[in-house]
Amino acid sequence: MPLLLSEFDLRKSIVRACRALHARGLVAAFDGNVSGRLPSGNLIVTPAGASKGDVTEDRLLLCSAEGKRIRGEGQVSTEVGLHLAAYAARKETRAVVHAHPPLACAFTFAGAEKVFLEPILPEVVARLGGIPSIPYATPGSADVGRLAAPLLAKHDAVLLAQHGAVTAGPDPWTAFLYMEKLEHAAAILKAASELAGSLEGLKRLTPAQVADLMNTYGRKKS
Ligand SMILES: [Zn+2]
């Protein structure tokens, strides 16, 4: 069972994740949003239109489980629907990060996002169980959450084609680490495909190698 953070600690963890997202270049300007779920079911979410680089604990909004603002100044992001879908998809999820990681996004603009499901990077195979993607949907629309929910039921990281990515975890910092891992995987795949001349030229793990990997490090399927 994940440790349930108090509102004070949840706000601190969200701000830490926001600062790291900005520092690592996984969001720019007003991109992205981070939320965490309280034991009561209410949510703490970043306000719309705030840079993740300078957001502070007292600027975060307290929202109902339905995403309606209860306390705090500013508007709830239109992308909160994606967060609600992630929480509804898996009861263990206590935090959601949505960002626009540039290299991972670039694969979706190139139509190459399926490579994240292939058995190439051992840690992605074992830790994330592959990274699936949803087709393009208007950012902030209900379609984004509707399409992502079935994938978020089983995966910690999902790509949103021609838009960004969403990660879900037991706390905001862990959800941030999944986003960092996704972008790091994209950087390796980009560099390797440039050296190999194409994505098709990359080495794949054999079925036996995948089986051994999963026996040793495989994530538990929920
Ligand atoms: Zn977005």
Side-chain angles (χ1 to χ4, degrees):
M1 276 296 288
L3 182 69
L4 298 181
L5 297 176
S6 67
E7 180 170 342
F8 180 82
D9 288 334
L10 188 58
R11 285 175 183 265
K12 274 177 42 177
S13 184
I14 289 173
V15 167
R16 185 179 175 214
C18 285
R19 297 280 172 85
L21 285 168
H22 188 262
R24 307 280 205 286
L26 302 174
V27 291
F30 309 120
D31 293 350
N33 20 77
V34 179
S35 71
R37 182 156 61 168
L38 291 162
S40 65
N42 288 338
L43 306 176
I44 302 293
V45 301
T46 49
S51 166
K52 304 304 163 289
D54 57 18
V55 73
T56 51
E57 284 84 349
D58 59 348
R59 291 207 53 205
L60 303 176
L61 306 178
L62 174 66
C63 292
S64 68
E66 294 75 38
K68 298 272 179 285
R69 187 184 58 174
I70 296 171
R71 183 164 25 96
E73 286 183 24
Q75 296 297 310
V76 180
S77 167
T78 54
E79 288 179 316
V80 77
L82 173 59
H83 295 241
L84 299 182
Y87 292 119
R90 200 169 1 151
K91 67 179 186 329
E92 299 86 6
T93 292
R94 311 300 304 187
V96 176
V97 168
H98 165 56
H100 298 171
L103 292 177
C105 287
F107 277 81
T108 76
F109 284 103
E113 59 268 31
K114 294 285 184 284
V115 73
F116 289 97
L117 286 171
E118 295 198 44
I120 299 174
L121 297 164
E123 69 273 25
V124 170
V125 174
R127 184 63 199 85
L128 296 173
I131 303 164
S133 54
I134 65 164
Y136 175 77
T138 304
S141 70
D143 284 345
V144 179
R146 182 179 58 77
L147 291 166
L151 300 177
L152 286 164
K154 292 203 166 124
H155 293 267
D156 299 327
V158 173
L159 282 163
L160 315 173
Q162 295 147 272
H163 174 187
V166 58
T167 57
D171 58 78
W173 185 247
T174 304
F176 157 75
L177 292 176
Y178 294 157
M179 189 65 72
E180 184 182 49
K181 172 56 73 185
L182 165 61
E183 182 67 351
H184 191 250
I188 294 172
L189 290 173
K190 179 175 183 292
S193 62
E194 286 169 1
L195 290 169
S198 70
L199 284 171
E200 289 69 37
L202 299 182
K203 291 183 179 178
R204 269 67 173 170
L205 298 169
T206 65
Q209 287 172 329
V210 171
D212 190 55
L213 185 66
M214 297 309 285
N215 281 338
T216 311
Y217 300 107
R219 67 202 289 272
K220 290 195 181 73
K221 292 276 180 238
S222 52

